């Protein structure tokens, strides 16, 4: 059946043009990378067909031998990378080629820094590797047909990578995709057969599919058919052996790094990797990598993350999330099982004992890799923590069995260090604990500055007691699940009645109790004035320099967590705070001496509002606060006059 020609000229979206320009500029210094990306895409297409054909053999169309071919036409000045993989329909071409990572392009552009080197490292993470073809080509043509569709459903895509592209329906007898690069005049070096073989050997030697090129023809001998030397004969130019199945001692670091770039489409090298073969009742191979930088969609709830799953060298699925716990979702790699069925599905993975065993082993292997890195390569570990620390903090709440190991890997900012960098361990904190200290103290806030300058820390600074400064959103989840570490209870400095235990001087305790008795009327008077806005007013043991602060009950939700929940549109329980006042502060003494009830009420409300602001909270009625403050300042000016 002949296809009815249907040609369209469509414009790229504005942001797509920006990405194209960035790709060409940022990767120009490493031009040969385009071939790696095109061969890698062909490999992915073939693996997808292999997987879909497990349930629909008709997709193979009597052509079961999957392969990738690289052809050159020196006369036309073209280089073509073709495969007989899954192919694309017209709609799929529009969605994947015409719009570049349609769900994430804008976020990608928001991450751009203007530094070409740094921006270039983002490219692979957004699935735009195909567009590296425009580094060496001034025009690119794609001819594709999806497996299972008739020959009349072929589609031709062509663009010069500037403002628009054309789509045309045509006949394509074979399934798969042909990508033809019309090379620029100064890029004709990529028509050289040996140059291409060298690049394929460098970047694609580990791809399990054969990558083929036309065998260099030998001149026909006398008497032989002259046409024989023109007939193309293909030969495999890559090794084609699954890297993860080879012996570790035979694999060079460069091969591991190149394979990581192939499976992750990351242009950067990995931080570390673990490769092992497990034999026994559950046989499998695993090759797992720790990336150097977080992917752009790490926090995308709809995006699946996980390692690739193979069964007896047959690709089964991308991002098999059941092979790795959620808090290790940044790990890239491959698991190849000898025991799982070839028709394994995501549903089956959820209820498979062998999968549970593999996941547990993978988890221990990655935690061990992180522990070794933290010990032997602290700079690399700090790089890892800066990128993925907030994800690892989810671990104690998800993985009870490994809670202590994960906690030992975590890093924190504390009052003993300067700046916002999270570099201190819980073990180091315990080693520095004061004599008589039996708790690990922490404070949560919505920013590092708010945590470090909180009035709740004043008594801890006075006694030189270290406090963990927690300002990541995930920290509230962390402290709710990690209640102790190595026998030391984690205690919030903003909750409940502060009990410093043996750290508190006996004399100080006696003075505080005496002060409570002496100033009991002030506390009652202030509670009456503030009414339902507070649960209680009491003398503080936390404050040294500030007049007041807010705390919540020992088992109540922290004010910071309530703010986090509200910021994401969730309801938070209404909890009345407790106002603690510093009875030694001049403002509090002035308040106690105030006889005018109206002025006392204004001063009391100002004290409460400023305590709420110091916590990072928002006032219910900012205008009323400003009005009281202006009124107070006017009275002071008049009194001074």
């Amino acid at each position: 059946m002949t296809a009815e020609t249907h040609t369209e000229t469509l414009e790229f979206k504005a942001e797509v043009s920006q990405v194209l320009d960035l790709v060409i500029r940022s990767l120009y210094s490493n031009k040969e990378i385009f071939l790696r990306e095109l061969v890698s895409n062909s490999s992915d297409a073939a693996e997808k067909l292999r997987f879909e054909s497990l349930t629909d053999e008709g997709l193979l169309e009597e052509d079961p031998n999957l392969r990738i071919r690289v052809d050159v036409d020196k006369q036309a000045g073209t280089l073509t990378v073709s495969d007989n993989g899954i192919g694309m329909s017209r709609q799929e071409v529009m969605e994947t080629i015409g719009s570049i990572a349609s769900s994430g392009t804008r976020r990608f552009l928001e991450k751009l820094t203007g530094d070409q080197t740094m921006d270039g490292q983002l490219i692979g993470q957004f699935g735009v590797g195909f567009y590296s073809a425009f580094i060496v080509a001034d025009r690119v043509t794609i001819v594709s047909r999806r497996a299972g569709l008739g020959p009349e459903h072929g589609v031709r895509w062509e663009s010069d990578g500037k403002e628009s592209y054309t789509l045309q329906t045509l006949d394509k007898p074979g399934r798969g995709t042909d990508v033809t690069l019309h090379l620029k005049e100064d890029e004709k070096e990529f028509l050289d057969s040996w140059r291409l073989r060298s690049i394929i050997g460098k970047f694609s030697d580990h791809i399990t599919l054969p990558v083929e090129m036309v065998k260099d023809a030998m001149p026909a001998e006398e008497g032989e058919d002259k046409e024989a030397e023109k007939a193309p004969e293909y030969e495999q130019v890559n090794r084609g052996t699954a890297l993860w199945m080879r012996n570790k001692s035979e694999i060079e670091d460069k091969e591991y790094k190149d394979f990581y770039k192939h499976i992750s489409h990351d242009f950067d090298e990995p931080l570390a990797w673990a490769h092992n073969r497990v034999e026994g009742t559950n046989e499998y191979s695993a090759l797992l990598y720790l990336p150097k930088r977080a992917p752009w969609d790490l926090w995308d709830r709809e995006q699946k993350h996980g390692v690739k799953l193979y069964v007896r060298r047959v690709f089964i699925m991308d991002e098999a999330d059941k092979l790795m716990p959620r808090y290790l979702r940044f790990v890239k790699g491959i698991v190849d099982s000898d025991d799982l069925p070839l028709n394994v599905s995501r549903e089956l993975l959820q209820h498979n004992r062998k999968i549970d065993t593999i996941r547990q082993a993978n988890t221990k292997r990655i935690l061990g890799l992180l522990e070794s890195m933290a010990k032997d390569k602290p700079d690399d570990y700090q790089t890892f923590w800066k990128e993925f620390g907030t994800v690892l903090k989810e671990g104690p709440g998800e993985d009870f069995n490994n809670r202590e190991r994960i906690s030992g890997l975590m890093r924190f900012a504390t009052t003993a260090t300067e700046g916002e960098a999270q570099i201190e361990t819980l073990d180091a904190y315990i080693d520095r604990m004061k004599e008589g200290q039996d708790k690990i103290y922490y404070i949560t806030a919505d920013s590092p500055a708010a945590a470090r300058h909180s009035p709740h820390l004043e008594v801890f600074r006075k006694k030189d007691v270290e406090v963990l400064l927690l300002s990541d959103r995930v920290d509230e989840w962390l402290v709710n699940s990690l209640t102790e570490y190595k026998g030391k209870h984690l205690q919030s400095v903003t909750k409940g009645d502060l009990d410093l235990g043996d750290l508190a001087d006996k004399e100080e305790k006696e003075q505080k109790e005496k002060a409570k008795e002496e100033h009991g009327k002030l506390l009652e008077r202030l509670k009456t004035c503030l009414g339902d806005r507070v649960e209680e007013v009491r003398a503080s043991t936390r404050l040294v320099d500030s007049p007041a602060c807010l705390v919540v009950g020992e088992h109540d939700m922290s004010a910071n967590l309530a703010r986090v929940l509200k910021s994401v549109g969730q309801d938070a329980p209404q909890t009345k705070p407790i106002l603690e006042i510093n009875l030694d502060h001049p403002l509090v003494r002035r308040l106690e001496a105030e006889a005018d009830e109206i002025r006392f009420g204004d001063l009391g409300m100002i004290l409460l509002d400023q305590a709420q602001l110091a916590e990072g909270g928002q006032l219910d009625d900012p205008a009323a606060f400003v009005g009281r403050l202006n009124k107070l300042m006017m009275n002071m000016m008049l009194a001074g006059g």
Side-chain angles (χ1 to χ4, degrees):
M1 182 177 178
T2 304
E4 182 181 343
T5 302
H6 174 45
T7 304
E8 290 181 276
T9 299
L10 303 168
E11 290 188 359
F12 284 122
K13 294 180 180 178
E15 60 266 27
V16 175
S17 298
Q18 289 177 263
V19 174
L20 279 171
D21 182 59
L22 171 69
V23 170
I24 295 169
R25 285 188 292 105
S26 297
L27 297 184
Y28 189 79
S29 60
N30 192 13
K31 294 183 289 187
E32 61 188 24
I33 215 166
F34 80 91
L35 189 56
R36 183 191 79 185
E37 290 302 301
L38 296 182
V39 170
S40 182
N41 289 346
S42 292
S43 174
D44 290 345
E47 287 181 332
K48 288 175 183 175
L49 174 63
R50 185 182 284 166
F51 175 58
E52 290 193 20
S53 68
L54 293 174
T55 53
D56 185 359
E57 289 186 8
L59 294 175
L60 294 175
E61 301 177 5
E62 299 182 356
D63 181 17
N65 299 318
L66 302 176
R67 47 91 191 129
I68 302 166
R69 284 181 174 168
V70 178
D71 290 289
V72 296
D73 185 335
K74 292 186 178 180
Q75 211 168 16
T78 61
L79 166 65
T80 301
V81 178
S82 60
D83 64 72
N84 58 348
I86 193 68
M88 292 179 285
S89 65
R90 187 186 183 99
Q91 185 63 32
E92 286 172 327
V93 169
M94 291 179 66
E95 291 174 354
T96 59
I97 306 297
S99 59
I100 303 183
S102 55
S103 64
T105 308
R106 190 167 299 281
R107 277 174 287 174
F108 171 59
L109 292 169
E110 289 171 357
K111 283 180 171 282
L112 300 185
T113 63
D115 184 320
Q116 288 189 19
T117 301
M118 293 180 65
D119 291 346
Q121 292 165 350
L122 286 170
I123 292 169
Q125 300 175 9
F126 278 75
V128 295
F130 159 75
Y131 287 90
S132 60
F134 287 102
I135 299 170
V136 297
D138 51 24
R139 183 160 49 95
V140 177
T141 304
I142 299 174
V143 177
S144 187
R145 175 171 69 79
R146 200 181 203 287
L149 298 179
E152 70 276 10
H153 290 286
V155 60
R156 183 178 186 272
W157 179 99
E158 186 170 274
S159 176
D160 59 5
K162 293 178 181 175
E163 296 180 353
S164 62
Y165 60 93
T166 60
L167 272 178
Q168 178 184 356
T169 303
L170 45 67
D171 279 332
K172 187 178 188 303
R175 66 165 190 272
T177 303
D178 306 328
V179 181
T180 300
L181 282 63
H182 303 265
L183 297 174
K184 300 174 183 176
E185 281 300 319
D186 56 350
E187 304 295 352
K188 295 300 173 67
E189 63 177 290
F190 295 108
L191 294 175
D192 182 77
S193 172
W194 289 104
R195 177 86 166 96
L196 296 174
R197 288 166 186 258
S198 172
I199 297 172
I200 292 169
K202 179 179 179 181
F203 290 125
S204 308
D205 206 37
H206 50 264
I207 289 179
T208 54
L209 260 67
V211 181
E212 301 176 347
M213 290 186 66
V214 173
K215 192 174 183 178
D216 290 336
M218 299 294 291
E221 295 183 7
E222 190 175 344
E224 287 186 344
D225 183 1
K226 294 294 183 181
E227 293 298 315
E229 66 181 26
K230 295 182 181 178
E233 182 182 345
Y234 286 90
E235 64 178 350
Q236 184 170 335
V237 295
N238 68 323
R239 188 180 302 187
T241 303
L243 184 80
W244 61 91
M245 296 304 298
R246 290 164 54 192
N247 194 306
K248 286 191 290 186
S249 61
E250 300 173 355
I251 307 174
E252 297 180 359
D253 285 357
K254 184 179 180 305
E255 292 181 274
Y256 278 122
K257 293 174 182 177
D258 286 342
F259 184 69
Y260 165 76
K261 292 177 180 179
H262 164 65
I263 62 171
S264 66
H265 297 282
D266 192 349
F267 286 88
D268 216 336
E269 293 183 350
L271 265 179
W273 59 85
H275 182 195
N276 70 295
R277 170 74 182 168
V278 176
E279 297 180 346
T281 55
N282 190 10
E283 296 192 0
Y284 64 92
S285 296
L287 176 53
L288 307 173
Y289 290 93
L290 294 175
K292 189 176 288 185
R293 287 177 176 80
W296 64 276
D297 56 358
L298 187 64
W299 297 100
D300 189 339
R301 292 179 178 273
E302 297 181 3
Q303 181 67 31
K304 286 190 175 295
H305 297 272
V307 298
K308 294 177 182 286
L309 174 63
Y310 284 71
V311 174
R312 297 187 289 281
R313 267 61 69 203
V314 176
F315 173 74
I316 301 300
M317 69 179 69
D318 259 322
E319 298 167 343
D321 51 347
K322 299 305 175 186
L323 293 171
M324 196 67 69
R326 182 83 180 145
Y327 69 92
L328 295 179
R329 59 184 175 273
F330 48 81
V331 175
K332 301 292 184 182
I334 278 173
V335 170
D336 189 343
S337 172
D338 291 346
D339 302 321
L340 291 172
L342 283 171
N343 63 346
V344 65
S345 63
R346 290 193 182 276
E347 291 70 28
L348 187 60
L349 289 180
Q350 294 179 3
H351 309 287
N352 190 290
R353 197 173 290 177
K354 292 184 183 294
I355 289 295
D356 293 338
T357 302
I358 293 173
R359 181 174 62 249
Q360 291 166 12
N362 285 344
T363 300
K364 290 179 180 179
R365 197 158 290 114
I366 290 298
L367 294 179
L369 186 61
L370 289 171
E371 287 167 346
S372 298
M373 187 193 299
K375 179 182 177 183
D376 302 328
K377 297 180 178 180
D379 289 342
D380 282 355
Y381 189 78
Q382 200 56 40
T383 298
F384 162 80
W385 182 259
K386 186 177 179 181
E387 295 291 318
F388 302 107
T390 49
V391 184
L392 197 63
K393 284 180 179 179
E394 298 173 10
E398 293 180 14
D399 189 351
F400 180 82
N401 292 332
N402 291 300
R403 180 177 298 181
E404 193 118 316
R405 289 187 72 181
I406 301 166
S407 302
L409 287 166
M410 293 191 298
R411 298 293 185 265
F412 302 93
T414 80
T415 52
T417 60
E418 295 183 2
E420 299 179 8
Q422 299 177 8
I423 58 176
E424 294 298 332
T425 66
L426 291 177
D427 289 309
Y429 179 100
I430 291 174
D431 289 341
R432 292 194 294 264
M433 283 173 64
K434 295 289 183 182
E435 185 178 348
Q437 182 181 349
D438 60 353
K439 296 183 180 71
I440 297 173
Y441 294 102
Y442 71 86
I443 183 170
T444 58
D446 56 8
S447 71
R452 188 173 291 276
H453 300 125
S454 171
H456 295 89
L457 301 180
E458 291 175 359
V459 71
F460 294 93
R461 286 201 180 90
K462 179 182 178 182
K463 295 183 176 296
D464 195 26
V465 175
E466 190 172 6
V467 179
L468 304 179
L469 305 175
L470 309 181
S471 56
D472 293 329
R473 282 198 168 193
V474 71
D475 286 331
E476 289 287 357
W477 163 260
L478 171 65
V479 295
N480 276 306
S481 54
L482 182 65
T483 55
E484 68 171 47
Y485 177 72
K486 292 189 175 179
K488 304 294 184 183
H489 180 70
L490 270 72
Q491 176 64 52
S492 170
V493 302
T494 66
K495 284 188 173 185
D497 222 346
L498 183 62
D499 181 10
L500 294 176
D502 294 340
L503 293 174
D505 297 332
K506 184 178 180 182
E507 198 173 308
E508 284 183 346
K509 287 182 179 179
E510 291 175 353
Q511 288 178 349
K512 293 292 182 185
E513 290 300 322
K514 186 177 179 182
K516 289 179 185 177
E517 294 177 8
E518 290 178 354
H519 301 278
K521 288 185 178 179
L522 169 64
L523 302 179
E524 291 177 11
R525 188 181 176 195
L526 197 51
K527 174 63 177 82
T528 302
C529 163
L530 299 176
D532 290 339
R533 292 190 62 181
V534 295
E535 181 68 29
E536 180 187 352
V537 178
R538 67 190 184 197
S540 179
T541 57
R542 292 174 169 83
L543 301 174
V544 176
D545 301 315
S546 300
C549 70
L550 295 177
V551 299
V552 296
E554 183 68 36
H555 304 292
D556 289 339
M557 178 181 291
S558 71
N560 185 59
L561 178 55
R563 287 193 294 272
V564 169
L565 291 176
K566 288 178 181 177
S567 70
V568 295
Q570 294 189 30
D571 292 331
Q574 294 291 329
T575 303
K576 291 181 184 179
I578 298 168
L579 178 66
E580 288 193 354
I581 59 174
N582 180 0
L583 294 173
D584 295 326
H585 197 279
L587 286 179
V588 175
R589 290 179 178 174
R590 172 67 183 83
L591 178 67
E592 188 173 21
E594 181 58 59
D596 187 311
E597 287 302 321
I598 295 177
R599 186 176 295 180
F600 180 89
D602 286 342
L603 290 172
M605 293 296 285
I606 289 174
L607 207 61
L608 174 64
D609 286 344
Q610 72 168 13
Q612 190 167 345
L613 290 172
E615 281 231 332
Q618 291 186 334
L619 302 180
D620 293 333
D621 191 350
F625 170 71
V626 173
R628 294 188 192 99
L629 201 58
N630 288 340
K631 183 179 177 183
L632 176 64
M633 290 191 292
M634 286 295 296
N635 289 337
M636 290 172 60
M637 291 172 63
L638 292 173

